[in-house]
Amino acid sequence: MVLTFTNIALALGAYLVVVLGIAYVAMSRLDVTPDDYYLAGRGLGTLVLTGTVLATWFSTFAFLGGPGTFFSSGSGWLWFGLFNITGPILIWVIGTRFWLLGRKFGHVTPSDLLAQFYEGDDSIRIIVAVIAILALVPYSVIQLTGAAQALVGALGAQQYFSTGVLLLMGMVALYLFVGGLRAVAWIDTLQAVIFMPALIITAAATVYWAGGLSAGWSATLAENPELWTFSAGGTGSWYTGALVWTMAWVFIPHMWQRMLMAKNPKVIARTAAVSGTVSLWVITFSALLIGGIGSSLITELPDGTAADGFMTILYAEFLPVGAIIITVAAFAAGMSTISSQILTTSSIFVRDIAKKPFKPNMDDSKEARLGRYFTIFFSLVVVGIALSPAAERAIIPLASDGVALALVYIPCVLGMLFWDEASTAGAKWSLIIGFVFLQIAIWTPIGGIFPVFGPPVYGLALTAVVYYSVSKTTASVPEERQAAYREILIKGMRIENPPTAADPQPSDD
Amino acid sequence: MNTLSEDKPFRFIPKTAVGKGLLGLYLLSFVAIALSVSGMIFSDAKMLGPMPEVVLWAYFWYGIINVVLLGTYFYLFKPWSEAATEYINAGSKARIKTQSRGSGSGDDPKPAADMKGDD
């Protein structure tokens, strides 16, 4: 029998050897400066930045949750394609500005940017940092549970869930501890190279097993017609999902930091264009074929398995050796995302909670050492949650809850960039009230009372109202401080030459 | 309130035919997708060519948005990235020049991210 735990463990072991080799090379090129440890020296080119964005973006969330959710929810998951292709536009609108300001002022974390603008207020630094860390907890947990579900799906036994969680975390800890974010970025690229072909091949195999595209979809519609229709009303969750991910994605701390890693503006512009296109046509479309057409091939999940393990369940049925490869790819997807999330939370904790407010003179090597200790602590917390009943929810809703927290950054970031009445008090109170509201709405039954849309939409609206009204009634950020930011934005966002001779000059006034 | 409001040249939507066209196509795509999601058009569980109509309709408009994305890149962001690179490089060169003319200490000014807010 091909599909045994031993065979899967051997395949994972072989993959780990490759990953550790990369981490070793990365370590040999690593300085101890925070820029190098957390931002890969701010020197990533288009290929590596695109690889790390895709690998981070398409974690187990897209690799396992995508096919699984198309399987269980059908067209209810089509909003993910809208996010794929709209999200990158926000890289240009927001991410480019993060990059410019980050390059000029040396920002490493979201708190650096916001706290500096809002009068160096340490309470804002800490609030932003706490929200960032908490936003990443559910998203980190799903990397572990998703990979573990893939293992469970391949072996058909729930008993392997905890083994999967511990195995993935152990692998990540090994290469993360030695290599920093340069290793993560390089390994992300390798992992993107692994799981994208895995998705494409699986999609092609699914179509083949179903007897062709038309035959497969016809069988799907016959089997589950209710999943592939839209009706009047009841679509609030569709819009909520699209809004939360499109708007909040670039504000998720580990994606925010990726905006700072680009070597130059061309890299960030190209990465946005390529990652959006690839994600729509390769990743989400493959997931659509796998989960959609696959639902006519596997009509009922085996006992003890979850929809998130659908890909390995499909392979276990039709091509068992493929389930081993998919399990390795699922681990690769999970590893790439959780490693960058752990490093991001580490940088945020060290710089924004431990160093800047309390020990501003902490030297770089001590900062890097404290960061490593925090990665161990955060990893243990995430493993603990992954093994608890709190992590029993499916990948997608759990991740969305975490991402929704990043929505509370939007008003104070937009105010910082575009509004000269932005005030420090407005930023502080909007962050606090928005965060508390979303925590209550997401994690308690109160979240169920909101009509049409999910709690994140109301949370964003409330945060915006608080920010606007408090800013209107309190003192604005001093003009001198605004001018320092605005000068960079005015000069750095200007387009000097028209795109073509025939076109009029784009207005930038 | 301060007086910065006249310095706002950071809009991203150019007031040109191409800029308006890209924005219009983008908004049209949203409306078309919303009509389907709201159950008005192309929303039934039936085939349209080789795929369910909800899938084909959604992906058609996603494809249009993809064209907008790439058009925006070539029209707006590629030129921007070239201008921004020049801006960043000019800043770096000026800093190096200042350091070489200075007392010889060559220290960079402290990054603003490390500044405490005391003003």
Side-chain angles (χ1 to χ4, degrees), chain A residues 78 86 122 229 281 481 508, chain B residues 9-10 26 43 62 66 116 119:
Chain A
L78 273 175
T86 301
D122 278 339
T229 184
W281 295 105
R481 190 169 287 260
D508 57 1
Chain B
F10 16 82
Y26 189 59
S43 57
Y62 294 164
N66 204 161
K116 290 283 286 182
D119 51 346

Side-chain angles (χ1 to χ4, degrees), chain A residues 295-317:
Chain A
S295 65
S296 67
L297 299 171
I298 304 280
T299 54
E300 205 167 313
L301 296 174
D303 285 344
T305 60
D308 292 330
F310 180 72
M311 275 176 68
T312 49
I313 294 167
L314 192 65
Y315 270 112
E317 179 73 21

